[in-house]
Amino acid sequence: LILGDKLVPGDAIVLVESSGIHANGLTLARKIASLLPEGYATPLSDGKSYGESLLVPTHIYAGLIRDLFEAGIDIHYMVNITGHGWRKLMRANRDFTYVINEIPKPQPVFKFIQEQSGNDDREMYGNFNMGAGFAIYLPEKDSDKASQIAHQNHGLKTLKTGHVEKGQKQVAIRPKNIVFEGKSLGVR
């Protein structure tokens, strides 16, 4: 089991792409569809319909993790980015600051949901994966190798997005000027 007890300041945070909305936020997504004149057939900016974008199968990351272990990558922690969105990045039972310096571009379905719901960036990143479905925490020296394995073996895009620092338990998403404090991870 990888429970986060190996996390140390300086660990890199590598985000692995999501395939879209995955399983979080579907209640809001259904509500939005019910209010649209074309419902699920509403076209998005990428040419897909809203309904098609919601039905994209979720990436399964188990094969990637197996390959990383087999390659000798020393994973210190890993977590799905689901129901609590990017707040999940601090799910490990450790008091660290998780600094995010770069973010992936979310799929068009997220922008559409944000526009239709009126949610701000804080609400979106606090509840949705916003294009990042899985996070891997590992020594900086292993981050490029892990990204290479993800791409070559699984066709998955990754982003070395940030690092772990000493400090209070929080996620700091610098490009969006958002900070989620540790207490925000609880059930709302």
Side-chain angles (χ1 to χ4, degrees):
L1 293 176
I2 298 178
L3 302 174
D5 55 322
K6 292 172 65 176
L7 277 170
V8 295
D11 277 350
I13 303 171
V14 174
L15 296 179
V16 185
E17 71 177 339
S18 70
S19 57
I21 194 169
H22 289 186
N24 53 314
L26 290 175
T27 300
L28 177 58
R30 284 192 305 270
K31 180 180 178 184
I32 289 169
S34 72
L35 300 173
L36 297 169
E38 294 181 72
Y40 292 108
T42 302
L44 299 184
S45 63
D46 61 357
K48 293 181 185 175
S49 73
Y50 182 50
E52 288 173 316
S53 293
L54 296 176
L55 292 174
V56 173
T58 299
H59 287 319
I60 304 299
Y61 303 100
L64 168 59
I65 299 307
R66 179 200 62 233
D67 289 353
L68 296 178
F69 281 133
E70 288 176 358
I73 303 283
D74 184 20
I75 299 173
H76 289 182
Y77 187 61
M78 57 187 170
V79 66
N80 282 300
I81 302 172
T82 57
H84 285 84
W86 287 43
R87 292 177 290 157
K88 280 275 182 84
L89 294 173
M90 63 178 154
R91 188 173 184 196
N93 194 19
R94 303 295 302 275
D95 289 337
F96 287 128
T97 297
Y98 304 91
V99 178
I100 306 303
N101 293 313
E102 192 174 350
I103 57 175
K105 182 178 179 182
Q107 292 89 344
V109 68
F110 293 111
K111 182 178 180 186
F112 184 79
I113 288 171
Q114 186 170 13
E115 289 169 351
Q116 296 300 313
S117 68
N119 287 339
D120 61 14
D121 283 344
R122 181 176 182 81
E123 189 69 17
M124 293 299 291
Y125 280 84
N127 293 296
F128 292 92
N129 69 56
M130 300 303 286
F134 200 76
I136 304 167
Y137 305 70
L138 65 172
E140 172 72 29
K141 67 177 180 60
D142 290 337
S143 61
D144 289 339
K145 184 176 180 181
S147 292
Q148 182 181 24
I149 291 169
H151 178 70
Q152 288 180 347
N153 295 13
H154 301 277
L156 293 169
K157 294 178 187 172
T158 62
L159 181 64
K160 186 168 52 173
T161 190
H163 60 278
V164 178
E165 289 183 358
K166 288 183 181 180
Q168 67 184 28
K169 188 173 192 162
Q170 63 182 1
V171 175
I173 307 172
R174 291 189 173 154
K176 292 291 184 177
N177 200 28
I178 296 171
V179 175
F180 293 114
E181 296 176 350
K183 64 184 177 186
S184 73
L185 189 58
V187 177
R188 302 189 297 160

